[in-house]
Amino acid sequence: MIYGTGIDLVDNRRIEKIIEKWGDKFLDRIFTPGEIAYCRKHAQASIHFGARFAAKESFLKAMGIGLGQGVRLRDIEVANAESGKPELILSGEAHRRVLDEGIADIHLSLTHTEKYASAFVLLEKK
Ligand SMILES: CC(C)(COP(=O)(O)OP(=O)(O)OC[C@H]1O[C@@H](n2cnc3c(N)ncnc32)[C@H](O)[C@@H]1OP(=O)(O)O)[C@@H](O)C(=O)NCCC(=O)NCCS
């Protein structure tokens, strides 16, 4: 049974500007060390940071919650399998809410161009 879906679109240039202004302070607040390492491996890191930011916001939308409601973006992590397929790994309050709601499966898809990054999340309840 579908619990919720969420979608988000990010302007990568906006992310790039925030990184230029705030550097590690911004990155460490929003992204995990694994995400930062993954994005920095790529020529244009902001594309991949943008996609991960979109994934975090899409998860919140799928849960029906917004920022400032106890879930930290850093607790919503995107990890890639060897094939490249992304998945969400949750910790802290994000993990607790998923358990509380009985969500059994989380599906994530990402796409990006140089300018924009987008994510789609589908939450399933058994
Ligand atoms: C998956 C694939 C169709 C992506 O299409 P694309 O148009 O090139 O790129 P998009 O911008 O739409 O999507 C990129 C995102 O697709 C996702 N992706 C990559 N491989 C994936 C896969 N096997 N399954 C699902 N999603 C995948 C990633 O999240 C990636 O973004 P990220 O690197 O920031 O995490 C393409 O990369 C492909 O054919 N891959 C085949 C698998 C492969 O060659 N793997 C190599 C390692 S074995």
Side-chain angles (χ1 to χ4, degrees):
M1 179 184 136
I2 293 174
Y3 174 92
T5 63
I7 189 166
D8 194 51
L9 179 69
V10 165
D11 181 340
N12 298 324
R13 183 68 193 125
R14 197 182 130 230
I15 295 284
E16 205 168 286
K17 278 187 181 161
I18 298 172
I19 296 171
E20 277 166 17
K21 187 167 180 197
W22 299 102
D24 286 350
K25 205 172 161 189
F26 166 70
L27 293 178
D28 292 340
R29 191 162 55 82
I30 308 294
F31 301 98
T32 66
E35 289 177 318
I36 295 170
Y38 181 89
C39 296
R40 283 188 168 153
K41 269 193 332 208
H42 294 83
Q44 196 185 331
S46 63
I47 290 178
H48 302 274
F49 281 121
R52 278 146 190 78
F53 196 88
K56 293 164 194 274
E57 295 208 316
S58 298
F59 169 78
L60 292 178
K61 289 179 181 176
M63 289 295 291
I65 56 179
L67 279 174
Q69 291 189 275
V71 175
R72 296 183 314 169
L73 290 182
R74 205 171 180 271
D75 290 342
I76 308 162
E77 174 175 19
V78 176
N80 294 74
E82 222 160 275
S83 65
K85 187 179 191 303
E87 65 170 335
L88 280 182
I89 297 174
L90 304 176
S91 55
E93 183 64 15
H95 186 230
R96 194 187 65 72
R97 291 210 188 195
V98 157
L99 293 180
D100 281 355
E101 295 298 320
I103 292 162
D105 268 313
I106 302 177
H107 307 273
L108 168 67
S109 191
L110 305 179
T111 187
H112 32 62
T113 62
E114 196 184 329
K115 281 191 176 162
Y116 299 104
S118 181
F120 176 75
V121 167
L122 187 150
L123 304 177
E124 257 189 292
K125 204 168 166 160
K126 283 279 177 276

